Amino acid sequence: MRRPNFITIWDRAGLAVVVLSSWAVFAIFAEGFTSKFNVFSVGRLVSILIVVGLAQTVVMGIGDINLSVGAVGGVVAMFFGWLVAPTQLGTAGLASGAPQDVTALPGLGINWQFAFILALLFGAALGFINGWLIVRSGLHGFIVTLGTMGVFSGSMYIITKVKAFRNLPEGFLGFGKMKFFDLLSPLVFIMLGVVVFLFFFLRSTTPGRQMLASGANRRAALASGINVNRIVISTHMLSAALAGLAGIMLAARIGSAIPTIGTGGGGDWLLPSFAASAIGGTLFTGGSVNVVGTMFGGLLLGTVENGLNLLRVPGFWVQMITGLVLLLAVILDRIRVVAVERSRMGAAQ
Amino acid sequence: MDQERMVPEAQDQAGSTTTATLPPGREANGRPLLEMQGIRKAFPGVQALDGAELTLKAGEILALVGENGAGKSTLIKVLTGLYQPEAGEILIEGMEVRFPTPRDAMKHGIAHMPQERNLIPYFSVGENIMLESLPRGRFGLVDYDRIHREARGWLDMLEVQVESRASVDDLSIAQRQLVEIARAISREGRILVLDEPTASLTPHETETLFGVLRRLRDQGVGIIFVSHKLEEVFALCDNIVVLRDGKNAGNKTAIAEIDRDGVVTRMVGRAPVTQELPERTEGRGGPILELQHVNTSSGGRDISLTLHQGEIVGLYGLVGAGRTELARAIIGIDKVTGGQVLVKGKKATIRSVKSALARHRIGYVSENRKEEGLIQMLPLVSNVSITIWRKLQNLVGWISSRLERKTVQPFVERLEIKAPSLNTVVASLSGGNQQKVSLAKWLAAGVDVLIIDEPTVGIDVRTKANLHELIWELVQRGLGILLISSDMPEIVRLADRILVMRRGEIKGEIANDHDYEKTSELIMGFIH
Ligand SMILES: Nc1ncnc2c1ncn2[C@@H]1O[C@H](COP(=O)(O)OP(=O)(O)OP(=O)(O)O)[C@@H](O)[C@H]1O
Ligand SMILES: [Mg+2]
């Protein structure tokens, strides 16, 4: 067993304390924050945020960056919508006699559980494109995913003509509205499953460890017999599959697949994906990730956003405050790292 | 410091001392230049220094020796302001000083070359040398011409043949080391601290350096010299201080009054036993690695060699002869561009370390442990097990950390790796112990062919003997070992056959009868 040292405990506990205090603050000041409905909706919101954060966390583990998380999320959600939407644009789901929705698209009408798997694979395929281009071109993920971000969402807009899949199957819509204990959405359990999986994947499996090793020191990883190129590609596949998962989760939440998922409609995912990871203690330099930290980071961001909404703070304020929370968190973290370093080195002054 | 820089261009070829103004080495009020007393420093799990002391006079070269992890580098880092001691004092010319930061130590004229390479990547050689005092020209802009002119002077002083404008990334390990030495000397301190400066230098480069150091000493500089090569200590130093487990072992002693065994006794804590390597009972088997007229992308030309099972082939040459490059081509990091490679008699194309390891069971212990041998931020246990994660995982891909530790432990013990625990990050281990970890990982990998590149650079005498025994044992067990070393006694001691390389070609082969005088002469014959 790798025993957690006091730094990691402080790390996680410290963030948990911040999350709890933000809950306490909102519980007191924001009316309705603790209502059953709000807990349910925050749970859904936060779960999606955390999965988006984890999509970024894994690429940060190899010292790379994925700017296309939002684009992939949107594209995968639309792909999923296309698979499951009925072939005929009937009037199902619309008030009878209402005119046919001109902004809706027909789909293939595939079973949604099966489509879910296909869509994740499709996400992984998009990640393969990212990873393959990075490995082939030798460019940093920043440049490559900056490009694919535009290509992915742009081509999706062209194909769908920015229309949506609105007539999603009842089963799927029901899934989005489902409540356990009258409180928790199944999305929360999906998120927890992903967290647990990634935590152990990175800690105790060969590919997970090889990812971190490649991120910590690429040359040494190569010289230790690790196929770093393959690791880069598979990490991007994992990242895109997670982004896609978040996209489908968001579709379940809002009950339709709209083109702006991940890039506009549900708020841009880019900032929160980095914010959750960085607040959680994942290093931008690679080699060290904190999956549980990202979970708390996402929890904090989601809570703050929801609390501010309840307080009727206007949307652009929320965005600004999210940015501030990120800055504050990384500055505090920097201070902590320096303090720890200093106490280790004994540089007491 | 406000005196005029000593511009070494002024120096003539004969190497006469410069007329430049170095800080006067006279002792004020009769106190030594430097005193360190009762220094204590602990890290999590280790008391690195436990009341260590040291005095240094102006115009003295003081050897600081001790086993790996004895605390030499820590003591030096305390002196140079990198670490703050928990107790103890530092006096310069009798005045107590404190160095909260490295800059403060520099202000007191302390110049330091750290043990681990510390150059700034992408910067030029000249910028790296002059970093602390970049000369300013018009408008306060950095004066690059002057940087490179002055840097050139320091490089010439050490006879380093690299362009000052070259990027440090393009330099070999030895060249980087020389650049760091030049950087330390260029600060013209009155105390010069060199932590294993010669670890990867050729004998010739070392001699040049010693010439420079002796000259500085004569000008009154006090020099602290750390090395595991005791021959160098005896050739260069005036006095010696031995550390053992963070304490002084014996007082400072004049080098003339102690011999090698005396030093080793102090280091180890008991009288040294000269270990003769036992006879190997297993004879050599069939060929396991053959190169036939191999050319490499990195400049190797028409290289043929055969390594048999149960055999140690030594690959000797000066630093830069192309031995590391050859090893990297064999292992699949660089490319083989012509000729044939045969593994166990079968033609093999090795394109990556992965296939070398998994398919052909060949391993390579890199000479560059910081950047290539180890992953500094990972713990000791992962650094050893990295090559065998796949073997450790169970059916569902799970790696049990208990099994992992149980597998790694024997190697840590066999190599006597000194670390507070298996979870200690490698970066916090002493240099010598890091070297052992980089060897341990390939032993754990269980390969049939091991290419070992400079295995005992920076390793203390006792561990070196241990490593030699270990290599011997591995061969006895049937491995074939290609040993790259610039340490001639080591090669002569271990190798069955010695190949001498020069400028990317194999110049000759010597059947080694372990007679040092005779063999070393033969080797030198092929080099010049
Ligand atoms: N930054 C650090 N954090 C934790 N432990 C450290 C750190 N630096 C040194 N140590 C420990 O302190 C002890 C002394 O190390 P030090 O580097 O001074 O040894 P050394 O005598 O220079 O050895 P070597 O000959 O191998 O270079 C070792 O046990 C080492 O693991
Ligand atoms: Mg040291």
Side-chain angles (χ1 to χ4, degrees):
Chain A
M1 267 305 280
R2 181 178 304 174
R3 253 176 302 131
N5 60 22
F6 95 100
I7 299 171
T8 56
I9 290 175
W10 183 22
D11 233 3
R12 285 164 202 176
L15 195 51
V17 168
V18 174
V19 171
L20 287 177
S21 11
S22 72
W23 283 357
V25 169
F26 287 125
I28 296 169
F29 295 105
E31 208 179 319
F33 183 74
T34 50
S35 74
K36 274 194 170 170
F37 175 75
N38 194 52
V39 171
F40 170 73
S41 85
V42 171
R44 292 198 308 186
L45 178 101
V46 152
S47 299
I48 295 165
L49 208 58
I50 290 171
V51 175
V52 173
L54 291 170
Q56 198 62 260
T57 301
V58 291
V59 268
M60 282 167 74
I62 59 165
D64 215 335
I65 269 176
N66 183 2
L67 296 181
S68 69
V69 276
V72 170
V75 171
V76 171
M78 288 303 281
F79 180 77
F80 175 77
W82 175 61
L83 291 180
V84 297
T87 43
Q88 296 293 314
L89 271 185
T91 49
L94 293 170
S96 57
Q100 203 177 357
D101 187 349
V102 287
T103 62
L105 289 167
L108 299 180
I110 293 177
N111 164 296
W112 74 268
Q113 284 95 339
F114 181 55
F116 177 77
I117 309 239
L118 286 183
L120 290 188
L121 291 177
F122 181 67
L126 296 178
F128 179 85
I129 296 177
N130 280 341
W132 188 82
L133 287 174
I134 289 167
V135 165
R136 272 300 151 125
S137 66
L139 293 171
H140 192 265
F142 184 92
I143 304 290
V144 171
T145 56
L146 185 65
T148 55
M149 169 172 74
V151 173
F152 290 161
S153 34
S155 35
M156 182 260 288
Y157 291 151
I158 293 169
I159 294 171
T160 62
K161 304 195 180 72
V162 205
K163 289 182 184 174
F165 295 101
R166 298 191 191 281
N167 310 355
L168 302 185
E170 285 305 327
F172 181 69
L173 295 177
F175 175 77
K177 293 188 201 126
M178 200 190 285
K179 285 184 190 177
F180 289 95
F181 319 117
D182 205 19
L183 200 66
L184 292 177
S185 159
L187 299 189
V188 174
F189 297 104
I190 292 184
M191 176 276 286
L192 286 175
V194 171
V195 167
V196 170
F197 167 76
L198 282 181
F199 180 82
F200 288 109
F201 173 74
L202 291 169
R203 204 189 67 154
S204 296
T205 74
T206 306
R209 286 172 169 219
Q210 290 190 339
M211 273 171 55
L212 294 184
S214 310
N217 184 341
R218 196 193 150 83
R219 275 182 67 188
L222 264 177
S224 303
I226 293 176
N227 188 340
V228 175
N229 284 347
R230 200 155 82 192
I231 293 291
V232 170
I233 294 179
S234 35
T235 306
H236 274 277
M237 288 171 72
L238 177 62
S239 168
L242 289 172
L245 173 63
I248 302 171
M249 286 165 76
L250 186 55
R253 198 191 120 202
I254 59 183
S256 62
I258 52 171
T260 46
I261 280 180
T263 49
D268 196 321
W269 285 358
L270 207 49
L271 174 66
S273 77
F274 285 118
S277 306
I279 292 171
T282 291
L283 297 181
F284 277 90
T285 43
S288 169
V289 305
N290 190 339
V291 171
V292 179
T294 301
M295 184 177 81
F296 279 109
L299 209 51
L300 181 65
L301 290 173
T303 311
V304 170
E305 186 182 330
N306 172 260
L308 293 175
N309 283 336
L310 289 177
L311 290 171
R312 295 205 177 69
V313 176
F316 32 86
W317 277 86
V318 175
Q319 193 171 6
M320 189 198 76
I321 290 171
T322 308
L324 279 180
V325 170
L326 169 65
L327 282 180
L328 200 69
V330 291
I331 290 169
L332 283 179
D333 197 58
R334 189 67 218 147
I335 293 172
R336 180 189 60 80
V337 168
V338 171
V340 169
E341 201 82 341
R342 194 163 284 169
S343 77
R344 264 231 316 253
M345 298 297 172
Q349 311 146 42
Chain B
M1 269 183 290
D2 50 7
Q3 45 298 81
E4 190 57 47
R5 299 202 127 257
M6 172 172 97
V7 180
E9 286 164 289
Q11 211 179 295
D12 63 30
Q13 267 326 92
S16 70
T17 53
T18 60
T19 51
T21 47
L22 274 168
R26 239 171 289 112
E27 262 117 62
N29 55 38
R31 298 296 297 264
L33 179 56
L34 167 72
E35 293 164 88
M36 298 180 80
Q37 293 165 352
I39 308 285
R40 292 174 56 82
K41 173 80 196 166
F43 295 108
V46 260
Q47 186 71 42
L49 292 175
D50 189 6
E53 56 185 46
L54 171 157
T55 57
L56 175 71
K57 284 184 295 196
E60 170 184 6
I61 304 184
L62 176 67
L64 179 60
V65 301
E67 297 197 315
N68 296 130
K72 304 177 296 292
S73 298
T74 306
L75 186 63
I76 286 172
K77 287 176 186 168
V78 166
L79 172 61
T80 52
L82 285 159
Y83 292 161
Q84 302 302 311
E86 281 111 40
E89 46 191 32
I90 305 174
L91 295 97
I92 289 198
E93 293 177 337
M95 303 266 283
E96 190 174 346
V97 287
R98 285 176 45 87
F99 301 139
T101 70
R103 268 219 160 307
D104 298 295
M106 264 180 240
K107 273 189 218 139
H108 280 85
I110 298 174
H112 172 214
M113 189 213 86
Q115 179 178 8
E116 297 299 336
R117 296 291 67 79
N118 214 2
L119 298 171
I120 303 194
Y122 308 122
F123 277 41
S124 69
V125 168
E127 284 167 293
N128 266 292
I129 291 178
M130 308 297 293
L131 200 63
E132 263 76 26
S133 51
L134 291 178
R136 296 292 162 91
R138 262 178 307 164
F139 314 121
L141 295 177
V142 173
D143 183 346
Y144 280 97
D145 286 338
R146 213 171 120 205
I147 287 184
H148 293 300
R149 206 168 52 239
E150 291 187 17
R152 184 75 258 153
W154 300 110
L155 292 169
D156 286 344
M157 187 182 201
L158 290 165
E159 297 175 17
V160 194
Q161 263 100 18
V162 297
E163 275 299 314
S164 170
R165 288 175 198 276
S167 154
V168 291
D169 300 271
D170 301 331
L171 304 189
S172 70
I173 298 262
Q175 289 168 332
R176 289 182 202 202
Q177 180 137 40
L178 286 163
V179 169
E180 294 227 40
I181 296 172
R183 165 149 106 183
I185 293 179
S186 80
R187 292 193 199 140
E188 300 172 283
R190 52 183 173 168
I191 298 174
L192 177 62
V193 190
L194 302 172
D195 198 348
E196 300 197 33
T198 59
S200 46
L201 299 189
T202 64
H204 178 75
E205 288 162 337
T206 304
E207 248 337 293
T208 311
L209 170 65
F210 285 4
V212 173
L213 294 183
R214 289 192 186 102
R215 240 159 37 223
L216 291 171
R217 167 186 62 192
D218 295 342
Q219 291 163 11
V221 178
I223 299 172
I224 298 176
F225 178 83
V226 180
S227 177
H228 287 295
K229 302 182 188 168
L230 295 183
E231 318 83 65
E232 293 180 357
V233 166
F234 282 97
L236 175 73
C237 301
D238 304 313
N239 297 300
I240 183 166
V241 165
V242 182
L243 284 187
R244 187 171 73 232
D245 294 332
K247 300 188 199 56
N248 288 61
N251 295 326
K252 178 162 150 180
T253 308
I255 208 79
E257 286 162 20
I258 193 166
D259 60 4
R260 192 190 155 88
D261 279 359
V263 172
V264 175
T265 307
R266 283 190 190 178
M267 279 168 52
V268 181
R270 54 183 157 75
V273 270
T274 31
Q275 298 140 309
E276 279 300 315
L277 294 170
E279 277 292 310
R280 291 211 310 263
T281 50
E282 296 295 316
R284 79 178 201 195
I288 41 176
L289 177 68
E290 293 164 85
L291 307 190
Q292 297 171 347
H293 309 289
V294 160
N295 294 331
T296 71
S297 60
S298 45
R301 286 190 309 275
D302 195 26
I303 296 167
S304 298
L305 67 81
T306 307
L307 176 67
H308 299 85
Q309 203 187 359
E311 182 185 43
I312 306 179
V313 170
L315 203 51
Y316 187 84
L318 300 180
V319 175
R323 296 164 302 163
T324 296
E325 288 75 5
L326 176 61
R328 293 168 65 89
I330 296 175
I331 201 76
I333 300 176
D334 289 345
K335 279 204 185 72
V336 171
T337 51
Q340 283 203 353
V341 178
L342 282 82
V343 180
K344 287 164 205 148
K346 282 199 218 82
K347 229 186 111 182
T349 328
I350 303 172
R351 288 218 183 76
S352 68
V353 180
K354 188 183 151 101
S355 91
L357 178 61
R359 196 126 25 101
H360 305 289
R361 298 166 64 80
I362 305 177
Y364 168 59
V365 182
S366 170
E367 64 169 341
N368 183 353
R369 67 162 177 262
K370 188 173 181 183
E371 280 148 29
E372 201 171 83
L374 296 173
I375 300 179
Q376 298 277 338
M377 64 194 274
L378 290 188
L380 167 54
V381 58
S382 316
N383 268 288
V384 177
S385 62
I386 185 167
T387 49
I388 47 166
W389 284 338
R390 229 170 254 300
K391 284 188 208 158
L392 290 174
Q393 74 190 16
N394 66 13
L395 281 178
V396 293
W398 179 271
I399 302 170
S400 132
S401 29
R402 240 195 54 200
L403 175 63
E404 185 185 17
R405 300 170 69 89
K406 220 174 72 195
T407 316
V408 166
Q409 189 66 37
F411 297 101
V412 172
E413 275 164 20
R414 180 65 190 84
L415 293 174
E416 297 181 36
I417 296 172
K418 241 176 107 179
S421 90
L422 286 181
N423 287 332
T424 308
V425 287
V426 158
S428 76
L429 298 185
S430 83
N433 281 303
Q434 291 190 13
Q435 182 67 26
K436 294 186 203 171
V437 177
S438 71
L439 188 59
K441 96 180 197 196
W442 291 104
L443 298 185
V447 290
D448 296 335
V449 178
L450 196 52
I451 306 173
I452 312 183
D453 201 349
E454 306 285 6
T456 56
V457 166
I459 294 248
D460 67 47
V461 278
R462 185 164 64 120
T463 313
K464 190 163 167 176
N466 280 347
L467 280 177
H468 287 178
E469 269 179 55
L470 184 83
I471 291 174
W472 205 250
E473 212 180 284
L474 292 172
V475 177
Q476 169 85 17
R477 271 199 254 144
L479 264 74
I481 291 183
L482 190 59
L483 175 70
I484 300 175
S485 176
S486 307
D487 182 342
M488 206 176 311
E490 175 167 280
I491 281 254
V492 175
R493 185 161 192 234
L494 291 175
D496 300 318
R497 286 182 295 135
I498 299 172
L499 303 176
V500 183
M501 257 187 105
R502 191 168 158 236
R503 301 220 186 104
E505 286 177 68
I506 290 186
K507 287 291 177 191
E509 173 172 339
I510 297 155
N512 187 12
D513 60 0
H514 305 287
D515 174 350
Y516 186 70
E517 297 295 318
K518 204 180 92 198
T519 311
S520 60
E521 209 152 293
L522 284 171
I523 293 176
M524 293 317 282
F526 283 120
I527 283 181
H528 297 295

